[in-house]
Amino acid sequence: MTTRIALVTGAGSGIGKACALALLSAGWTVIFSGRQQGTLEAAFAGHPQAANALALPMDVTDALSVQALFDQIRERFGRLDLLFNNAGVFTAGVPLEALPLEAWQAAVNTNLTGVFLCTREAFRIMKAQVPRGGRIINNGSISAHAPRPNSIAYTATKHAITGLTKSAALDGRAFDIAVGQIDIGNAATDMTATMAHGMPQADGSVKPEARMDVQHVAEAVVQMAALPLNANVLNMTIMATGMPFVGRG
């Protein structure tokens, strides 16, 4: 095949935008998905391969919205070769007992249920298409290994993504669907700007943390996506070398 179709959720900014643009540069036809049409279109405006990009809004927390987008992909392209489940939200860094139920549910709905909904629809397409199969990459987090203080909702959902990834990898094996996860630590985006100024540490202190260029994440996702379907990166951790993750601070 000469045309590979990729869908990136949360593609209007940050990690999603960087990865979608990198896939576009690598020759993929890329569907940029997110909540705002204008933001999605602006994300690839002026790119040399912009003709191979398409902005399709979707709310990953809404099952009908997810189904409608995948129906559009099926009707327009007839297949889907790559899904990057990237869309996610943080919650406010407050003590556990102060976290509103609504904030917990918003994190679960976006970070976990949204990934399930998109993965379910991708499985339906990838099982039926010819050639059969495809690849799904889930955006995990270093929080899938170790939490930050006051981050119970985000941390719980990212731990859950690890289970979802492994289960989907097992269920997809017989159908040539490769499922993997990339755990990212401190990519430099607007969402992580505060990390350079100071983040709460496990010992109660507040310290600046190292960040890395988000392009390194994009390159890693492109590398995972380029593998043949008989090979899979089940889990990759990419992080700023100097961040306080390995060891004890």
Side-chain angles (χ1 to χ4, degrees):
M1 291 186 62
T2 57
T3 301
R4 298 170 297 172
I5 310 301
L7 167 63
V8 179
T9 67
S13 62
I15 290 171
K17 176 181 176 180
C19 292
L21 290 173
L23 289 165
L24 197 58
S25 295
W28 291 76
T29 293
V30 183
I31 300 150
F32 287 62
S33 187
R35 292 177 181 269
Q36 303 296 327
Q37 179 83 25
T39 301
L40 297 171
E41 291 175 350
F44 57 80
H47 190 281
Q49 281 78 48
N52 294 327
L54 181 65
L56 291 180
M58 172 179 64
D59 179 356
V60 298
T61 70
D62 183 335
L64 293 179
S65 177
V66 173
Q67 182 179 345
L69 181 136
F70 279 83
D71 285 346
Q72 289 182 70
I73 293 172
R74 186 183 291 106
E75 292 166 7
R76 181 156 186 158
F77 300 105
R79 65 180 299 106
L80 178 66
D81 299 288
L82 174 67
L83 165 63
F84 181 33
N85 279 314
N86 167 75
V89 296
F90 292 123
T91 51
V94 299
L96 186 155
E97 68 275 14
L99 185 71
L101 177 60
E102 293 78 10
W104 167 271
Q105 291 174 329
V108 171
N109 290 343
T110 302
N111 299 354
L112 180 56
T113 303
V115 173
F116 162 71
L117 292 173
C118 290
T119 298
R120 183 177 65 173
E121 295 301 323
F123 261 56
R124 289 171 174 167
I125 292 179
M126 291 174 177
K127 281 187 176 184
Q129 64 195 14
V130 180
R132 185 180 68 177
R135 186 176 305 277
I136 299 171
I137 302 173
N138 295 325
N139 187 345
S141 171
I142 285 203
S143 291
H145 305 276
R148 291 186 181 278
N150 299 326
S151 65
I152 189 167
Y154 184 78
T155 297
T157 57
K158 292 304 182 179
H159 272 72
I161 287 299
T162 299
L164 186 152
T165 296
K166 291 179 179 179
S167 186
L170 177 60
D171 292 347
R173 180 190 297 171
F175 303 97
D176 302 315
I177 300 173
V179 185
Q181 178 171 327
I182 183 166
D183 296 331
I184 302 165
N186 293 8
T189 67
D190 291 343
M191 290 182 69
T192 65
T194 57
M195 293 179 180
H197 303 291
M199 290 295 293
Q201 306 298 312
D203 63 1
S205 63
V206 176
K207 297 178 181 177
E209 292 189 8
R211 297 192 299 162
M212 63 177 173
D213 192 328
V214 70
Q215 190 60 31
H216 300 319
V217 178
E219 291 166 359
V221 168
V222 170
Q223 182 180 24
M224 293 171 73
L227 289 171
L229 293 180
N230 62 3
N232 185 37
V233 176
L234 180 63
N235 186 270
M236 175 190 289
T237 298
I238 182 167
M239 55 180 278
T241 304
M243 67 177 293
F245 171 59
V246 178
R248 302 189 180 188

